[in-house]
Amino acid sequence: MGFDLVVVTKQRPADLVPRWEEALAGQGLQVEICPGFSLTSWSGFLPFRLESAPSSLLGMDLAAPIVTGFELQIHRREVTFTTRYPTLAAEFVMQCLGAATLAALTGGTYEDPQQGERYSGPDALDAALAEISGFLASAKSSAFVQHPFPGWAALNVATADG
């Protein structure tokens, strides 16, 4: 069982990665998206290097950069974001804000299939922040585990280039 969010995209900018990192930074998340990521060819777990985040948003202080992320399935016009249960706080925050900021960058919508709700524009960000707040309010201590970032080579992730 997991938690899904869907972004229906209208466009897919060629310079998405730096713009997405900048949009997440605007929410207080200093991240680096996995090198080689492409919204046209990625499949599977998308890792992020999370350098810093406000403790009020993450529910904890970061001791050092961590690796976090979510499963991503890319379809013609839809991008599905999934975290598995039990979900870590950092993964959930990245999933919700990742989906909301991607919706904004692509002129699309942020959809929560669990609630049957769809949001666009600033409402998508508000919905993401409400999801995060609800998650943090009921999260067990095990949700606040931090996995130190070991470097991209050590993660041995498949990149869009191979």
Side-chain angles (χ1 to χ4, degrees):
M1 188 165 120
F3 179 77
D4 296 322
L5 294 171
V6 177
V7 173
V8 177
T9 61
K10 290 187 178 180
Q11 59 193 4
R12 295 192 180 182
D15 61 345
L16 178 67
V17 170
R19 290 178 63 197
W20 202 8
E21 289 173 344
E22 184 178 311
L24 289 165
Q27 299 305 311
L29 302 173
Q30 298 299 316
V31 302
E32 178 185 2
I33 299 173
C34 183
F37 168 72
S38 168
L39 194 55
T40 59
S41 61
W42 195 267
S43 179
F45 185 77
L46 177 60
F48 289 74
R49 177 181 189 266
L50 179 58
E51 176 74 31
S52 66
S55 60
S56 59
L57 179 62
L58 211 53
M60 62 184 162
D61 290 320
L62 293 180
I66 64 170
V67 63
T68 187
F70 39 78
E71 292 288 327
L72 205 61
Q73 291 184 354
I74 299 170
H75 307 283
R76 189 167 179 247
R77 292 199 61 226
E78 291 184 352
V79 180
T80 303
F81 294 67
T82 302
T83 50
R84 304 281 178 227
Y85 183 81
T87 304
L88 297 178
E91 292 175 350
F92 195 79
V93 169
M94 287 301 305
Q95 177 189 18
C96 293
L97 288 178
T101 54
L102 182 65
L105 291 169
T106 63
T109 58
Y110 170 101
E111 300 181 6
D112 179 346
Q114 290 83 200
Q115 301 295 324
E117 299 289 338
R118 177 180 297 167
Y119 306 93
S120 58
D123 292 341
L125 185 57
D126 291 343
L129 292 171
E131 292 274 18
I132 292 166
S133 179
F135 175 88
L136 292 177
S138 63
K140 296 179 180 176
S141 61
S142 59
F144 300 98
V145 171
Q146 298 180 32
H147 297 288
F149 182 77
W152 293 116
L155 287 175
N156 195 29
V157 295
T159 65
D161 298 328

